[in-house]
Amino acid sequence: MHAYYADHFVLPLPKGHRFPMAKYAALRARVARELPKAQLCEPLAATDGELALAHTPAYIEQISSGTLSAMEQKVIGFPWSLAMVERSRRSTGASIGAARAVLPRPTAIGKAAAAVNLAGGTHHAFAGHGEGFCCFNDFAVAARLMQAERRAKRIAIVDLDVHQGNGTAAILKNDPSIFTLSMQGARNYPFRRQQSDLDVELPDGCSDGQYHDALALALAQLEQRFTPDAVFFLAGADVFAGDRLGRLKLSIDGIKQRDAMVFAFARRFNLPVVMAMGGGYSPNIDEIVEIHFNSVKAAFDYTHGHENH
Ligand SMILES: [Zn+2]
């Protein structure tokens, strides 16, 4: 299994900034240690042409040249720097690399594989602006690029980060070839919703059982309404009970079960899976890394079977 990392492109943040940058290096170290057969890969930087599949040329230029206003930077949540641009391009490149590693869909049943972006899931990035720690929308860019490269025709984005994939929904709103499913905490950011193809709103304090029931229903609806030839899975860790921002009450085992349900869906239809990590804001970084690692392990097992570490 291919796992793309961009944690060595460090974004300089002011002291006390709440974005958990350290989780990415810790996650890569754990993957290297516990899944030695996973192939750790450095991504290429996404080019202007690739980014333009989901973003306006004016916005790409604004980010690249550092001409965002103070307000625009504040909405993104990161101060602009050349390192920020490089990291955003590499993180998008990581989803592109992961997608190319598993697409096109194999014709042999049971041979579909998963690949991972050990960062990514920047689903709050819109065509013409960024927000919520997201500059470029890695899944929207990678999905459109896979279509342009004729590796996939129809893609389902299954966004299980606790926050709505508002940027993804807006970019892909009039695109019937990419289905956007987003499950989110009803009372969580972003407060102004965009319309995904399927939105599921979860109550504060949502338990493992409630979540799994809602996900089963959502996947059944997806199955009825759309026939994908790939799944892009945003496996956010911020549904966790210990998350500072999430408001839901999923256990670590409950999140494992969530991931298992997505992979079981993909297995039934022999679908390649591209996975990105998304959010995770527990004050205990070990817990975030544990949850992300479990997701990576599920992707590894999907690709290699359970015994072959
Ligand atoms: Zn989130």
Side-chain angles (χ1 to χ4, degrees), residues 121 123-124 132 159-164 188-189 234 236-239 243 245-246 277-281:
H123 59 168
H124 301 308
D159 184 339
L160 302 186
D161 187 278
V162 81
H163 302 102
Q164 194 205 22
N188 222 316
Y189 169 90
L234 210 175
D238 45 14
V239 291
D243 196 87
L245 309 178
M277 296 294 104
Y281 308 95

Side-chain angles (χ1 to χ4, degrees), residues 162-163 182-188 193 199-215 238-241 245-250:
V162 81
H163 302 102
S182 186
M183 287 189 37
Q184 54 263 350
R187 294 186 54 217
N188 222 316
R193 294 287 199 244
D199 281 297
V200 179
E201 302 288 341
L202 303 162
D204 281 2
C206 179
S207 66
D208 288 343
Q210 271 177 299
Y211 191 96
H212 297 147
D213 289 350
L215 177 57
D238 45 14
V239 291
F240 175 50
L245 309 178
R247 308 180 76 101
L248 307 190
K249 283 271 163 10
L250 270 74

